[in-house]
Amino acid sequence: MSNAGVTPAATVLLPPSPAGIAEAARLLRAGQAVGLPTETVYGLAAACFDEAALARVFAAKERPTFDPLIVHVDAPAAPVVDALAAAGLVRAAALDPLARARVEALAAAFWPGPLTLVLPKDPRVPDLATAGLPTVGVRAPRHPVARALIRAAGTPLAAPSANRFGRISPTTAAAVLAELAGRIPAVLDGGPAEVGLESTVVAVAEDGALTLLRPGGVPPEDLARVAGVTPTRAAAPRPGAGLAAPGTLDSHYAPGRPLTLLPAPVAALTPAQGDAARAAAAGASAVGLLAFADAGAGERLAALVGRPVVARTLSPTGDLAEAARGLFAHLRALDEAEVDLLLAEPCPVEAGLGHAIADRLRRASAVRTP
Ligand code: TXA
Ligand code: MG
């Protein structure tokens, strides 16, 4: 993988102590990009108004500059719109009263937490942070180490997820190192991410209309209840066709190995579906299986396809929060296992966090374009 333009150097793992946080803040103020723990996934943070620092984030991730970053703030006091305007992030005058009311209600309910609001941008926010869009994504994370770092750095932090472009988001400091070691000076270790999936991204239009750009840690039903209206769902855009949210690119959370989403749990495959699974596994010496709840699915699949199976189970009790928390770590582990292809059971629940889990499994299994 090309590393052009990035100075290779040792990457330091900083503890979440006052000294570790102070060192991360010093690096950020000096224009460096630093691994940031949040409750969703780890981010790669840079001072939001420092264009050279933002450029380092894109270089380290090999991320195309048409993909906007999320700006992280310490949870603001109400009225949130005015606080974000005072911070130089949001153009408050652009928002109608209904839009303002919806932002206040959503922030009161879900901040600090896994919700990103896309709002009209203040011209002071560099175009590089927003990919030239007239809007900016803002999130107030609830992870105490993230909050402490934002305060210590004294600036909002622009941060995408800390993976190389198109790969699985990291949920541990070790996973950040696996993605970015040698490309950034430091990762602040805040332990395993509590939610495990990225934030829900909602655009608030100037007239107050809501669009769900990416399902995530805040379930869409909860959004609708608080906002009093069901957000419109963004249609998945085609690459290059004026992206509303590049997180909606189909193949955006892909492991390195090809992943096939099964049409049903292994135990419920019809004979025809079983034949298809056997055909898919025919050329493989071993198969990886991401089971949802069935701890016996691996043995069942091995018997079905006649190949050794390395299986990981998301939640033996079918708990959606547990499944979300471990999803990316299990995918990473399977991706590193001695297997030739990956199969995944579908998420059986289409409610709550099930929306985001199903979305990530679908994207991980999308055929990659070269
Ligand atoms: O949970 C999260 O959101 C994590 C942590 C680090 O906060 N961050 C994250 O960032 O997932 P990233 O860059 O991987 O995904 C951000 C998503 C992308 O789909 C991006 O396009 C969308 O948010 N986004 C950001 N600003 C936007 C804007 N102005 N308009 C539309 N979409 C935007
Ligand atoms: Mg990402």
Side-chain angles (χ1 to χ4, degrees):
M1 180 132 327
S2 154
N3 201 16
V6 183
T7 311
T11 302
V12 179
L13 195 57
L14 296 170
S17 61
I21 290 166
E23 173 60 6
R26 186 191 69 74
L27 288 165
L28 288 165
R29 285 194 304 268
Q32 294 294 330
V34 171
L36 164 79
T38 86
E39 73 279 14
T40 57
V41 300
Y42 275 70
L44 179 58
C48 149
F49 298 107
D50 180 342
E51 293 199 46
L54 298 176
R56 286 198 167 92
V57 170
F58 285 95
K61 279 190 56 122
E62 300 177 29
R63 179 173 171 126
T65 51
F66 62 69
D67 207 357
L69 310 181
I70 291 173
V71 177
H72 297 70
V73 297
D74 190 26
V80 162
V81 169
D82 296 319
L84 296 177
L89 297 174
V90 167
R91 203 158 59 83
L95 292 170
D96 288 352
L98 179 63
R100 286 185 75 111
R102 286 186 171 159
V103 172
E104 297 303 328
L106 290 170
F110 303 116
W111 279 4
L115 176 68
T116 296
L117 295 173
V118 172
L119 300 167
K121 140 186 159 24
D122 186 297
R124 284 173 283 185
V125 179
D127 282 334
L128 191 52
T130 62
L133 294 169
T135 51
V136 59
V138 184
R139 178 163 106 78
R142 72 166 171 248
H143 195 301
V145 177
R147 298 189 68 173
L149 181 59
I150 295 166
R151 287 194 295 264
T155 170
L157 298 177
S161 51
N163 49 286
R164 296 202 301 274
F165 184 68
R167 289 170 44 93
I168 301 165
S169 297
T171 54
T172 61
V176 178
L177 289 176
E179 291 288 321
L180 300 174
R183 298 167 177 232
I184 56 174
V187 179
L188 186 55
D189 188 353
E194 167 203 341
V195 177
L197 295 174
E198 300 88 344
S199 62
T200 299
V201 181
V202 177
V204 184
E206 301 187 359
D207 65 0
L210 302 183
T211 307
L212 180 63
L213 297 177
R214 178 178 72 182
V218 171
E221 299 90 337
D222 294 359
L223 278 179
R225 181 176 42 76
V226 166
V229 59
T230 300
T232 310
R233 287 208 178 226
R238 296 261 160 272
L243 298 177
T248 57
L249 272 179
D250 259 337
S251 175
H252 197 77
Y253 299 88
R257 306 269 164 74
L259 183 144
T260 301
L261 193 53
L262 293 167
V266 174
L269 290 174
T270 64
Q273 291 168 340
D275 288 345
R278 201 175 301 115
S285 54
V287 175
L289 174 68
L290 186 65
F292 197 87
D294 176 9
E299 279 182 31
R300 232 185 283 277
L301 183 69
L304 181 69
V305 302
R307 294 282 181 279
V309 171
V310 178
R312 318 261 311 192
T313 307
L314 287 178
S315 171
T317 60
D319 178 64
L320 289 176
E322 182 184 24
R325 193 179 308 127
L327 175 63
F328 289 152
H330 284 306
L331 270 178
R332 254 173 210 282
L334 285 175
D335 207 24
E336 285 160 14
E338 298 284 314
V339 297
D340 307 307
L341 89 144
L342 305 179
L343 300 176
E345 291 188 328
C347 178
V349 184
E350 283 177 45
L353 287 173
H355 295 284
I357 295 170
D359 172 80
R360 300 309 188 271
L361 284 173
R362 189 180 58 73
R363 291 173 203 279
S365 66
V367 175
R368 252 145 287 162
T369 47

